[in-house]
Amino acid sequence: MPRRKKMKIEEAKAGGERPRGQLKYPRLRGMKDILFDEYKYWDLVYKKATELARVYGFKRIETPILERLELYERATGKSTDIVSKEMYSFVDKNGEKVALRPEATPGLVRTYIEHGMLNLPQPVKMFWLGPVFRHDKPQAGRYRQFNQFDLEIFGDATPIADVILILVAYNFFRELQIAVQIQINSIGCKECREQYIEKLLNFYKERGKRAKLCYDCKKRLVKNPLRLLDCKEEVCIKLREDAPQIVDSLCDSCRDHFIKVLEYLDELEIPYNLNPYLVRGLDYYNRTVFEVWPVEEDGEKSRENRAQSALGGGGRYDNLMEYMGGRETPACGFGLGIERTVLLIREKNIPLKKDDEDYIFIAQLGEQARRKAMNLFEEMRRSGFKVRQLFTKDSLKAQLEEADRVGAKYSLILGQKELMDGTILLRDMESGIQEVIDYKKINADMEKRLSEKNKQTKNGENSV
Ligand code: AMP
């Protein structure tokens, strides 16, 4: 067996995973299962997203995973990689061309138009969390189904709206203890862009530069010249160094808008880098575009790698609503990648806050005791206690191990003797000290003990 294959099989085994080759029905390439141990990080990240969205006045919204293919062809753009190369699209049983959502914004724009949201007080601020699908080449941090945290602001043309989005994105990562820098640029409006593209084309026409460009960039020169700027090929990166920059071609109004955004970022002390090569891959953006890049500790990674591992991106798209058949409505938004966020938290070993819930474990010994204990569990749960159990097991040892595993503060143990005496055994899980208490006084007793215990405990400060 080739050495690499053997190593892969051994690695898979070490991780408790069966090698894909041995499975009858392995999961699809580029798809990911999120198992128990990882899910606590997802909970944390979702909680942070939900909390920040609420604080900044965004309301949650959900849209279908499946939409008409046309929606993305029109909004995202037929010539983009996402639509032309990566979309999961098919014809359904009614002969309708449909697609799995490759990004959230088009569906959210559709919702705004379809539900007449322009009649709501403006701006309309949407918070969205969900899976998106792109048939890209899988690699570390790049999946074919992945999740995004999206915020969109509709009906607000002010630079403050752009700043709020960047602020939330920055806070999101910072509060998850991930160091990031905002990459920012302005790609202006239609008018300034037209002028700039002319300058750019003239630049590439000079002295045989065109011939040196990579194959894709030669095509971009005709189809989408702005994308020459974010090509990842070494020769194209070298060539673009002397290219004119779009910020020098901005009209007065676009320049003012951009300067205001930057002034606020300075004021709020949000670290950013003016990145003249940032254009984003989609057709609909205008004015502010930004990405969130992790700050590398080793400083070794190439620029290209950092762009590949962007944690999120967004920008303004003031013309999309009208382009999609709605009334002219300025808008901006972002999408942050959940998988890459979780990956970084895990890679950097950022400790999670201890689950500090006041769990009470209810254990039983014997058939009769189990019946009563199950009722006690229901009563305590309804009264608001955070109870846990393992009623399927008979062994007290197994039950107390589970109590330890969930981090229970106390266990209440009901056996034959306690059943007869009208008592229950209370075990402090930290000290192991046990005492007998009156069955009728369980609730009052537990409330008192938990509030005393909570006065003594505090969480670690450097955890998330
Ligand atoms: P985009 O919509 O391409 O701007 O992507 C926004 C964010 O989603 C990126 O910065 C990544 O964090 C995440 N992302 C994009 N593509 C993938 C992918 N194939 N797998 C995992 N995360 C992704």
Side-chain angles (χ1 to χ4, degrees):
M1 186 188 299
R3 201 168 152 261
R4 270 185 63 192
K5 192 169 176 194
K6 198 171 162 213
M7 268 172 64
K8 270 200 158 165
I9 293 178
E10 266 154 26
E11 265 170 37
K13 277 184 184 160
E17 197 175 312
R18 287 184 59 192
R20 290 168 69 87
Q22 287 181 7
L23 294 171
K24 244 183 168 172
Y25 309 106
R27 65 179 184 274
L28 289 170
R29 221 163 95 75
M31 303 285 177
K32 182 175 156 52
D33 296 314
I34 307 160
L35 304 186
F36 315 118
D37 276 350
E38 187 177 336
Y39 215 92
K40 54 183 186 249
Y41 297 95
W42 284 71
D43 275 342
L44 173 83
V45 169
Y46 280 170
K47 202 168 138 206
K48 180 54 73 189
T50 311
E51 173 203 317
L52 285 172
R54 189 175 309 132
V55 168
Y56 289 91
F58 291 79
K59 287 201 191 139
R60 183 128 188 207
I61 185 164
E62 185 89 47
T63 57
I65 290 174
L66 208 57
E67 297 265 9
R68 282 169 211 278
L69 172 64
E70 280 177 313
L71 176 75
Y72 300 111
E73 284 183 341
R74 174 92 179 156
T76 313
K78 263 187 181 170
S79 68
T80 57
D81 285 354
I82 293 183
V83 172
S84 66
K85 298 185 190 158
E86 299 165 6
M87 200 148 59
Y88 282 86
S89 55
F90 58 96
V91 177
D92 77 1
K93 290 190 166 59
N94 299 330
E96 192 140 32
K97 286 185 189 159
V98 294
L100 295 187
R101 168 175 64 212
E103 59 146 344
T105 308
L108 295 170
V109 169
R110 177 194 57 68
T111 316
Y112 182 93
I113 300 172
E114 197 163 333
H115 297 277
M117 291 193 196
L118 87 170
N119 298 318
L120 296 176
Q122 304 293 304
V124 172
K125 294 160 84 180
M126 296 183 183
F127 157 42
W128 180 96
L129 261 179
V132 290
F133 300 81
R134 293 183 198 167
H135 198 276
D136 203 351
K137 215 164 133 204
Q139 50 178 255
R142 196 194 289 160
Y143 302 98
R144 288 181 172 166
Q145 175 179 339
F146 59 97
N147 290 269
Q148 285 189 341
F149 160 33
D150 253 72
L151 293 185
E152 314 281 343
I153 304 181
F154 294 103
D156 190 336
T158 70
I160 319 298
D162 313 26
V163 172
I164 293 287
L165 289 176
I166 297 172
L167 177 64
V168 177
Y170 177 65
N171 284 343
F172 175 74
F173 292 109
R174 202 185 57 159
E175 289 167 26
L176 291 170
Q177 297 198 23
I178 299 171
V180 294
Q181 189 191 45
I182 307 296
Q183 303 290 315
I184 192 165
N185 194 17
S186 172
I187 55 168
C189 59
K190 213 165 147 240
E191 285 74 40
C192 22
R193 207 151 50 234
E194 258 167 27
Q195 280 189 20
Y196 173 68
I197 286 173
E198 212 180 302
K199 283 191 207 164
L200 195 66
L201 292 177
N202 284 336
F203 168 80
Y204 280 104
K205 268 187 211 151
E206 284 166 18
R207 276 173 279 135
K209 288 193 189 103
R210 190 183 171 282
K212 289 189 196 147
L213 288 171
C214 75
Y215 175 76
D216 282 340
C217 276
K218 284 199 184 100
K219 286 204 287 190
R220 287 178 186 133
L221 216 44
V222 184
K223 275 189 165 171
N224 192 353
L226 270 193
R227 301 282 334 254
L228 285 160
L229 297 175
D230 71 354
C231 178
K232 310 288 183 292
E233 294 294 329
E234 205 57 53
V235 276
C236 304
I237 292 177
K238 192 92 200 102
L239 277 176
R240 78 180 181 197
E241 276 171 9
D242 302 318
Q245 299 195 353
I246 192 162
V247 282
D248 298 324
S249 297
L250 296 182
C251 64
D252 287 349
S253 157
C254 286
R255 187 179 312 112
D256 282 352
H257 185 99
F258 195 41
I259 288 174
K260 279 253 162 54
V261 172
L262 299 181
E263 280 173 357
Y264 273 96
L265 296 185
D266 285 331
E267 187 68 33
L268 292 163
E269 296 184 11
I270 296 174
Y272 65 86
N273 173 40
L274 275 177
N275 184 339
Y277 308 120
L278 187 74
V279 292
R280 309 271 299 138
L282 307 180
D283 287 357
Y284 51 64
Y285 286 116
N286 68 309
R287 292 196 165 170
T288 320
V289 286
F290 65 91
E291 280 189 359
V292 187
W293 289 6
V295 175
E296 297 300 333
E297 277 152 19
D298 53 16
E300 288 284 303
K301 264 193 174 178
S302 69
R303 182 189 174 77
E304 173 197 333
N305 268 342
R306 276 184 278 145
Q308 296 277 355
S309 60
L311 293 168
R316 192 158 265 290
Y317 52 95
D318 294 329
N319 306 309
L320 184 60
M321 193 70 76
E322 200 179 6
Y323 188 65
M324 296 306 291
R327 177 114 49 91
E328 191 183 342
T329 309
C332 51
F334 72 53
L336 310 181
I338 305 291
E339 279 76 2
R340 288 187 195 170
T341 308
V342 169
L343 210 65
L344 271 189
I345 299 178
R346 298 187 73 186
E347 256 175 34
K348 299 200 168 173
N349 265 330
I350 299 167
L352 288 186
K353 251 189 203 135
K354 274 218 312 262
D355 184 358
D356 206 21
E357 298 285 3
D358 292 335
Y359 294 126
I360 299 169
F361 194 87
I362 299 185
Q364 35 69 38
L365 270 171
E367 192 53 35
Q368 250 186 318
R370 174 159 29 219
R371 284 165 210 237
K372 193 157 178 192
M374 285 174 83
N375 268 321
L376 174 65
F377 183 92
E378 290 308 312
E379 279 162 24
M380 289 188 77
R381 187 181 63 77
R382 282 187 213 119
S383 312
F385 287 102
K386 298 197 172 89
V387 276
R388 293 290 180 269
Q389 50 77 33
L390 193 62
F391 291 138
T392 50
K393 291 271 190 242
D394 295 330
S395 133
L396 184 61
K397 184 165 171 270
Q399 294 180 68
L400 290 181
E401 275 168 8
E402 173 73 359
D404 264 334
R405 222 185 48 75
V406 299
K409 295 210 161 116
Y410 293 100
S411 285
L412 290 167
I413 306 164
L414 195 64
Q416 200 60 29
K417 180 171 182 306
E418 291 77 23
L419 214 54
M420 312 280 278
D421 297 350
T423 58
I424 197 159
L425 196 62
L426 175 96
R427 181 184 173 95
D428 182 321
M429 295 302 291
E430 209 176 288
S431 64
I433 295 171
Q434 300 195 151
E435 58 188 289
V436 175
I437 62 170
D438 185 346
Y439 190 91
K440 289 201 205 75
K441 294 190 182 143
I442 293 177
N443 283 9
D445 195 304
M446 291 317 302
E447 253 165 40
K448 193 161 151 244
R449 283 173 199 258
L450 286 172
S451 78
E452 271 164 22
K453 209 169 195 95
N454 282 339
K455 277 185 209 146
Q456 299 156 12
T457 48
K458 228 180 143 199
N459 255 323
E461 301 225 317
N462 290 324
S463 46
V464 285

